[in-house]
Amino acid sequence: EIYKLHKLYPDNTEYLYMLATYQKQKGNKQLSDSLSREILRIDPSDARATLALAQNSTKNADDVTYLQSLKPLFSNTQSNLDVKIIELIPFVEKLNEKYDPAISAELIVLAEILAKTHQKEAKVFSLTGDIYNLSNNHPEAIKAYKSARSLDKSTFTVWEQLMELQFITRDANGLFNTTENA
């Protein structure tokens, strides 16, 4: 059925992506990569296709090298933000389980790129705060959480993280004000 849809709508990247995913699941990585390149020919800013090619080309690379390979994608303002964030989540979880300074450094670089390219997105600053927090850089985490809160006041976990860090850093006045506002 996917093939039929692709034949009817050859420039529809969604159907190409479905085909690429299907081929990857079947173990046909060459065809999957070819379809991903076709998606990028149609839409050079497609984040999913870029990530699919990056994952295959850096399959044997370590986490740090892989994270470094994501910089051009993260710098592209046209690429889907949610895809970028989803790509970072496993590394943030890994950092939460066991601190690795090299992974932390690369996550910070990518988070800062996201903060520049998506300045109006609270979830970017929330993720940046989480990364700084896991990296024990509390002042930067507090700044990031405050930025997230100023963009979207409705996410309680951001307020909670901010209050926790203000408690840890013994910022009584900040904690009082945050608590009052929350």
Side-chain angles (χ1 to χ4, degrees), residues 40-130:
L40 290 174
R41 184 191 62 73
I42 295 168
D43 180 7
S45 66
D46 191 289
R48 294 182 303 178
T50 304
L51 287 171
L53 287 172
Q55 288 170 343
N56 288 343
S57 66
T58 58
K59 183 178 155 190
N60 296 323
D62 60 83
D63 290 342
V64 172
T65 305
Y66 178 69
L67 289 171
Q68 289 171 342
S69 76
L70 297 176
K71 289 176 189 173
L73 172 68
F74 278 55
S75 297
N76 185 344
T77 57
Q78 302 304 311
S79 295
N80 186 300
L81 174 61
D82 291 331
V83 172
K84 295 174 188 177
I85 289 175
I86 288 169
E87 194 63 25
L88 291 184
I89 299 294
F91 296 100
V92 173
E93 289 173 350
K94 190 180 280 192
L95 192 63
N96 188 32
E97 291 169 9
K98 182 179 179 211
Y99 180 74
D100 181 333
I103 290 176
S104 171
E106 290 306 320
L107 285 173
I108 288 170
V109 167
L110 291 172
E112 289 175 352
I113 291 171
L114 284 179
K116 288 177 186 167
T117 58
H118 301 280
Q119 298 175 3
K120 304 274 189 225
E121 295 289 342
K123 56 188 162 189
V124 167
F125 291 97
S126 177
L127 177 66
T128 301
D130 291 344

Side-chain angles (χ1 to χ4, degrees), residues 13-57:
T13 57
E14 197 61 37
Y15 299 141
L16 280 168
Y17 184 75
M18 286 181 198
L19 276 174
T21 303
Y22 174 69
Q23 291 300 327
K24 186 175 181 180
Q25 288 173 346
K26 282 180 41 179
N28 192 346
K29 297 219 187 296
Q30 285 182 329
L31 183 54
S32 176
D33 286 352
S34 174
L35 291 166
S36 294
R37 283 191 287 279
E38 179 66 17
I39 292 169
L40 290 174
R41 184 191 62 73
I42 295 168
D43 180 7
S45 66
D46 191 289
R48 294 182 303 178
T50 304
L51 287 171
L53 287 172
Q55 288 170 343
N56 288 343
S57 66

